[in-house]
Amino acid sequence: MFSRSPLPQSSSPAPFYEKVKQAISEKIATGVWRPHDRIPSEAELVAQFGFSRMTVNRALRELTDEGLLVRLQGVGTFVAEPKGQSALFEIRSIADEIAARNHQHRCEVLVLEETQASAEQATELNVKEGSRIFHSVMVHFENDIPVQIEDRCVNAERIPDYLNQDYTQTTPHAYLSLVAPLTEGEHIVEAVRATPQECERLRIKEHDPCLLIRRRTWSSSHIVSHARLLFPGNRYRLQGHFMS
């Protein structure tokens, strides 16, 4: 038996479906309903809030579209797993983003090497093909769930000590920001399909969607780094804010 829930108060009248959305959102935000919890059925919510089934259905549909709920036909409606959020216009360390959510970050370093720039790498770093560069590949975890593969090449002439850092204790972004303060950045974002190896590293299925950021950073008019940042699309979203 569900008692009728008090609805959030507002200074101006809100449509009934918005009141239902606000009440459900508040229960999720305050932890009354947690990720993966099954919420009451439409019929139960109708009895609980005292509104029509059409009103409740619209509220649930919009909350699903906004990513707060997941509706499974014939099973029920569940609180969605919250997605991580990465800055799109500003450039931040993924460790800082994860810490800001009060979650634990850790990193597994897969590759940390000196190599010669391929034609593509040379173009991205604005160096000659065959030039000496540094290359790293690592997987970043949030609460032991892989959320990003970082594949980075670095101008060895500009950042000579890149290979000597412990990237389980810091991040390439944090180190580069320290020794070569950022003066310019470039982001290219696209939807991609991960390779079988990337799927294994991210613990996703072969056809799961992924987001790719290709990021170049400059310091004092020189390109110091190019990174390929791959996110599982069902665990991450990108957000940007700008003013004209």
Side-chain angles (χ1 to χ4, degrees):
M1 180 71 66
F2 292 92
S3 60
R4 186 163 294 187
S5 295
L7 296 170
Q9 298 300 310
S10 173
S11 58
S12 59
F16 289 156
Y17 73 88
E18 284 289 353
K19 293 183 179 181
V20 176
K21 285 178 63 178
Q22 290 169 17
I24 292 174
S25 298
E26 183 176 332
K27 288 191 175 185
I28 295 172
T30 57
V32 176
W33 292 341
R34 302 180 64 81
H36 309 298
D37 282 354
R38 183 185 180 277
I39 73 168
S41 68
E42 278 190 18
E44 291 168 331
L45 291 171
V46 166
Q48 184 175 352
F49 293 114
F51 294 138
S52 71
R53 189 157 193 154
M54 183 180 299
T55 295
V56 171
N57 180 274
R58 177 168 178 177
L60 295 178
R61 188 171 67 249
E62 292 196 4
L63 288 171
T64 300
D65 291 342
E66 293 166 12
L68 267 70
L69 298 177
V70 175
R71 307 183 76 184
L72 302 178
Q73 187 68 33
V75 179
T77 303
F78 300 83
V79 179
E81 178 74 27
K83 293 185 178 183
Q85 182 168 295
S86 183
L88 178 56
F89 296 115
E90 61 179 323
I91 296 179
R92 298 173 58 196
S93 165
I94 188 170
D96 292 340
E97 294 175 1
I98 291 172
R101 295 190 286 273
N102 295 316
H103 289 178
Q104 295 295 316
H105 167 265
R106 70 177 178 87
C107 175
E108 288 185 4
V109 180
L110 305 178
V111 175
L112 190 60
E113 64 181 1
E114 178 182 321
T115 187
Q116 294 181 324
S118 66
E120 181 180 359
Q121 291 170 330
T123 299
E124 297 294 356
L125 290 176
N126 194 28
V127 298
K128 292 182 179 180
E129 184 176 352
S131 295
R132 173 174 166 266
I133 65 169
F134 298 137
H135 176 229
S136 60
V137 179
M138 51 197 73
V139 181
H140 295 278
F141 293 78
E142 181 169 356
N143 291 346
D144 285 325
I145 298 174
V147 293
Q148 185 197 90
I149 297 175
E150 173 187 333
D151 189 332
R152 184 182 297 269
C153 53
V154 174
N155 187 321
E157 180 181 345
R158 300 290 171 186
I159 315 293
D161 291 328
Y162 182 77
L163 299 184
N164 298 327
Q165 311 309 308
D166 182 356
Y167 293 114
T168 64
Q169 300 300 314
T170 187
T171 63
H173 171 79
Y175 174 68
L176 292 172
S177 297
L178 180 66
V179 299
L182 176 71
T183 57
E184 184 180 349
E186 173 188 82
H187 277 160
I188 300 174
V189 183
E190 58 186 316
V192 299
R193 179 177 294 178
T195 67
Q197 184 183 54
E198 289 168 337
C199 289
E200 183 178 354
R201 289 172 175 171
L202 291 173
R203 302 178 196 164
I204 60 176
K205 297 178 182 178
E206 183 178 350
H207 297 292
D208 285 352
C210 289
L211 290 171
L212 176 65
I213 297 179
R214 300 182 189 274
R215 175 186 291 172
R216 286 199 296 177
T217 53
W218 282 255
S219 182
S220 301
S221 76
H222 297 285
I223 300 173
V224 296
S225 172
H226 173 264
R228 182 181 183 274
L229 310 173
L230 184 69
F231 301 84
N234 64 343
R235 296 181 198 148
Y236 241 79
R237 67 183 178 186
L238 305 173
Q239 177 169 315
H241 176 81
F242 63 93
M243 298 178 65
S244 59

